[in-house]
Amino acid sequence: MTLRDIEIFVTVCELKSMSAAAKKLYMSQPAISQAISQMEGELQVRLFDRIGRNLSLTYPGEILYSYGKRILNLVKEAESTLDDVRNMRMGRLRVGTSTTVGIYLLPEIIGEFRQKFSIDVYFTIGNTAEIEKMIFDNSIDLGIVEGPVHSRDIVVTPYIDDELYLVCSKNHRWAEKKSISPAEIENEDIIMREKGSGTREVFEETMARNNVRYKIKYVLNNTEAIKKAVEANIGVSVISRLAVKKEIRGGRLVKVDIENIRFERKFSIIYHKDKFKSNLFEEFIRNLYNYSIRLF
């Protein structure tokens, strides 16, 4: 049976007339009769008793009528739900972000987005390499990352500029200097994120490009933990300005410049090149850019 067969059958049941059903469905009466006969042949049951000009449902016909109404109602419900999705009255979006974006940007962006649309936005946090893998596994729809993406199958769109700040404790010997030479960092204990982190990759590439030697003594995979360690004067670190602006403003951390060296990067929006970009997908990206205009 097809949905059209079920629609024909249910219409005949409700109108109790093949001619009336034919008129409602814009079909000929012979076509309606043939459709019912074909259904009876396929199912090997009689659906109607034809007594004179009257049609009455047989017991199998009553069973099929009950299921048929439920099926057609489910189809209407599915169409209505998909219409809601198409018009963003409901929906789901899965976003993956690297740590800085996930902690310091995305919650506010999602909060604003949900005020406009009744949308479920799920997000997960991982390093750039992990987010790239999730894109390939189709476990997320798009990602916002802070490190270089290496696959040609992933579309990379620049999002916002970021700068990593070298920070130290207010009790560190650099706190009064505010600026150091590249040579001064060579023997300093550096606290850094794990390999695969966008922050670490930018740091290492920048130092290599400037031929600066360095010593990573502690590796932590949590930015908040790194900030606390720096505050306690265990070492120094390079952290996104988004993550340390409150601590610098409050005097708990001190930004230190390195002569002629800046740690600059771009956050990027990424998704697989074959990903279908729904209305919701496009609208969320527009909201990301609208938020970025107000950010700095």
Side-chain angles (χ1 to χ4, degrees):
M1 287 184 295
T2 65
L3 282 175
R4 183 61 169 170
D5 291 334
I6 294 171
E7 182 184 21
I8 290 169
F9 172 72
V10 169
T11 304
V12 172
C13 292
E14 292 175 344
L15 298 179
K16 296 181 175 60
S17 166
M18 291 194 184
S19 59
K23 186 176 181 180
K24 182 176 180 179
L25 297 174
Y26 301 100
M27 297 174 66
S28 67
Q29 184 172 336
I32 293 286
S33 181
Q34 182 181 6
I36 296 296
S37 295
Q38 285 180 344
M39 290 176 67
E40 290 178 326
E42 291 172 3
L43 298 171
Q44 297 183 5
V45 294
R46 179 64 67 88
L47 299 174
F48 292 99
D49 281 327
R50 298 161 177 84
I51 302 174
R53 294 186 175 182
N54 297 322
L55 286 177
S56 59
L57 283 169
T58 62
Y59 179 65
E62 290 175 357
I63 293 173
L64 183 59
Y65 178 50
S66 175
Y67 277 105
K69 286 193 299 181
R70 288 160 60 186
I71 290 168
L72 294 179
N73 285 335
L74 279 173
V75 170
K76 289 178 182 177
E77 183 180 326
E79 290 174 342
S80 176
T81 301
L82 291 174
D83 184 67
D84 285 342
V85 171
R86 184 171 60 252
N87 292 288
M88 291 185 293
R89 291 186 291 270
M90 67 176 294
R92 181 195 73 180
L93 193 67
R94 303 163 302 168
V95 183
T97 74
S98 46
T99 305
T100 302
V101 178
I103 296 175
Y104 305 103
L105 284 183
L106 199 61
E108 187 171 345
I109 294 172
I110 290 175
E112 289 186 2
F113 191 71
R114 284 178 55 83
Q115 288 179 359
K116 298 178 184 178
F117 306 102
S118 298
I119 301 297
D120 291 323
V121 182
Y122 302 95
F123 74 97
T124 185
I125 294 175
N127 63 40
T128 301
E130 290 167 342
I131 298 302
E132 188 172 348
K133 183 179 185 302
M134 287 184 221
I135 291 284
F136 275 104
D137 293 341
N138 198 33
S139 56
I140 57 174
D141 299 303
L142 73 152
I144 309 168
V145 297
E146 55 198 49
V149 173
H150 304 289
S151 171
R152 294 182 180 180
D153 290 326
I154 291 181
V155 177
V156 180
T157 305
Y159 179 37
I160 56 176
D161 295 327
D162 186 33
E163 184 177 357
L164 306 179
Y165 288 168
L166 173 64
V167 291
C168 69
S169 164
K170 63 182 180 180
N171 300 315
H172 193 279
R173 66 183 183 280
W174 291 348
E176 298 298 324
K177 299 176 66 172
K178 300 291 182 72
S179 178
I180 62 170
S181 68
E184 291 181 75
I185 204 171
E186 291 184 3
N187 295 315
E188 192 64 32
D189 291 339
I190 296 174
I191 308 167
M192 187 51 59
R193 288 281 309 279
E194 75 286 356
K195 285 189 176 295
S197 156
T199 297
R200 178 161 180 164
E201 192 161 351
V202 170
F203 171 76
E204 291 180 337
E205 287 181 354
T206 302
M207 298 299 266
R209 190 165 57 248
N210 288 276
N211 297 312
V212 179
R213 290 180 294 177
Y214 57 90
K215 177 181 63 177
I216 295 177
K217 186 166 184 179
Y218 305 103
V219 176
L220 302 175
N221 63 359
N222 183 291
T223 302
E224 292 297 312
I226 291 175
K227 289 193 292 183
K228 292 296 183 183
V230 173
E231 247 184 89
N233 206 16
I234 294 172
V236 301
S237 189
V238 171
I239 306 173
S240 167
R241 59 177 173 174
L242 294 171
V244 295
K245 58 183 179 181
K246 289 182 180 179
E247 288 81 3
I248 291 174
R249 194 183 307 126
R252 299 197 305 276
L253 293 177
V254 178
K255 175 179 178 291
V256 181
D257 293 329
I258 307 177
E259 294 170 6
N260 301 316
I261 295 178
R262 294 183 67 182
F263 301 96
E264 296 176 310
R265 65 179 176 184
K266 286 184 181 293
F267 290 120
S268 301
I269 298 169
I270 65 171
Y271 54 89
H272 197 278
K273 64 182 179 63
D274 297 327
K275 184 69 179 177
F276 171 71
K277 294 182 283 298
S278 65
N279 292 339
L280 173 59
F281 185 99
E282 298 281 17
E283 185 63 31
F284 186 75
I285 289 179
R286 277 193 291 271
N287 274 261
L288 288 175
Y289 282 111
N290 289 338
Y291 182 87
S292 71
I293 293 170
R294 313 192 310 267
L295 190 57
F296 299 114

